[in-house]
Amino acid sequence: MRNILKAIIFDLDGTLLDRDRSLNNFVEHQYDRYDALHHVKKEEFVQRFIELDKRGYVWKDRVYQSLINEFEAKLDWQDLLDDYIEGFQNHCVGFSGMVEMLDFLKEKNMKLGMITNGYERFQDNNIKALNISDYFEVILISEREGIRKPDPEIFLRAVNLLGVKPEDSIYVGDHPSNDIEASLNVGMRSIWKEDDFQNKPLNTTWTIRELHEIRVIVENSGDT
């Protein structure tokens, strides 16, 4: 018997938030505002930041310390970090079709949730900047929850709070292990949002490149 689709839970960075574009926008803007960085070419500074950042898996205290040492900038790395924490939200952009997709899912009476790794205040600010908080009944941020993906507990906590079973839910994410493998392991279905920098997961229920493709999956599921 086919499980009834009742809930869809999303990752944030790289899934709803176009982190690569948002980060590039922020770093360029930060460079422009700090004269002490201008002895370095903007393109060189931005490129090195992105390399050190390792797509968000290195926290920015280490990134800024490395940048200041390498470029011998007369700046306090903590000032740059504070600027990042407060200012990144002003440069957040969602992927194309995000709002239209979320509107469609609400019209279909889907329960919506979000699970994201990261610091509570920082991620809360980014979600608010995208103006999507009201779409979600449940938002779990790893620092606030005390656990992080791929721990199965954070996925089970989300479905329990939504009042659904794992098998009646889909998780959407870009990371092969933290998102896709982890959600499948607790009995959820999965949508891998393709990422050119990640290896394709060994298993996934569906694969998409654009968010609007989720609409087709829901419409063709025969569950709603």
Side-chain angles (χ1 to χ4, degrees):
M1 184 175 178
R2 173 176 276 183
N3 295 316
I4 298 173
L5 178 58
K6 297 178 180 178
I8 301 183
I9 303 173
F10 291 86
D11 170 48
L12 177 63
D13 296 318
T15 301
L16 296 173
L17 173 71
D18 187 340
R19 186 182 180 277
D20 291 345
R21 190 152 63 103
S22 302
L23 183 66
N24 196 83
N25 290 346
F26 169 78
V27 177
E28 287 189 355
H29 189 256
Q30 185 177 58
Y31 173 92
D32 290 340
R33 290 181 291 107
Y34 281 84
D35 291 342
L37 297 173
H38 291 178
H39 64 289
V40 181
K41 291 182 179 179
K42 180 192 282 192
E43 296 77 11
E44 185 179 354
F45 179 79
V46 172
Q47 181 60 37
R48 188 59 182 140
F49 187 108
I50 291 170
E51 290 171 358
L52 291 167
D53 174 69
K54 296 189 184 299
R55 310 203 75 227
Y57 289 94
V58 176
W59 184 236
K60 304 311 156 290
D61 54 352
R62 291 168 56 193
V63 172
Y64 283 120
Q65 289 174 57
S66 295
L67 286 170
I68 285 175
N69 288 334
E70 288 182 25
F71 294 133
E72 299 180 346
K74 299 186 185 310
L75 285 168
D76 185 336
W77 66 265
Q78 186 67 53
D79 289 341
L80 292 175
L81 177 60
D82 291 344
D83 183 64
Y84 172 82
I85 292 169
E86 293 303 320
F88 182 84
Q89 61 190 301
N90 300 322
H91 300 271
C92 287
V93 289
F95 281 105
S96 174
M98 176 185 67
V99 171
E100 293 82 358
M101 178 271 299
L102 292 173
D103 282 337
F104 167 78
L105 295 179
K106 294 304 281 188
E107 289 169 7
K108 287 289 187 177
N109 296 314
M110 287 286 109
K111 291 176 176 285
L112 300 183
M114 187 189 303
I115 304 172
T116 178
N117 287 345
Y119 291 100
E120 177 179 3
R121 178 181 166 196
F122 184 75
Q123 295 294 57
D124 268 336
N125 284 341
N126 295 343
I127 295 165
K128 290 173 185 174
L130 292 176
N131 198 28
I132 58 173
S133 302
D134 291 344
Y135 286 99
F136 298 93
E137 296 179 39
V138 170
I139 297 176
L140 303 185
I141 300 173
S142 64
E143 184 187 41
R144 183 160 60 215
E145 300 304 315
I147 46 176
R148 59 188 289 117
K149 298 180 296 181
D151 191 321
E153 175 57 31
I154 200 165
F155 294 92
L156 295 174
R157 188 175 297 181
V159 294
N160 287 337
L161 288 169
L162 287 171
V164 299
K165 298 176 182 178
E167 56 267 30
D168 298 333
S169 309
I170 292 173
Y171 190 78
V172 186
D174 66 305
H175 196 281
S177 56
N178 290 349
D179 294 328
I180 304 308
E181 182 181 345
S183 58
L184 288 172
N185 284 344
V186 300
M188 301 176 73
R189 286 171 275 180
S190 67
I191 297 175
W192 180 52
K193 186 174 184 298
E194 285 186 329
D195 183 332
D196 293 335
F197 295 93
Q198 302 277 10
N199 294 324
K200 184 175 181 178
L202 295 176
N203 295 296
T204 185
T205 318
W206 297 279
T207 297
I208 63 170
R209 179 158 285 274
E210 304 291 340
L211 290 175
H212 67 78
E213 296 173 66
I214 293 173
R215 176 174 185 148
V216 177
I217 290 171
V218 172
E219 287 180 327
N220 291 342
S221 68
D223 300 329
T224 58

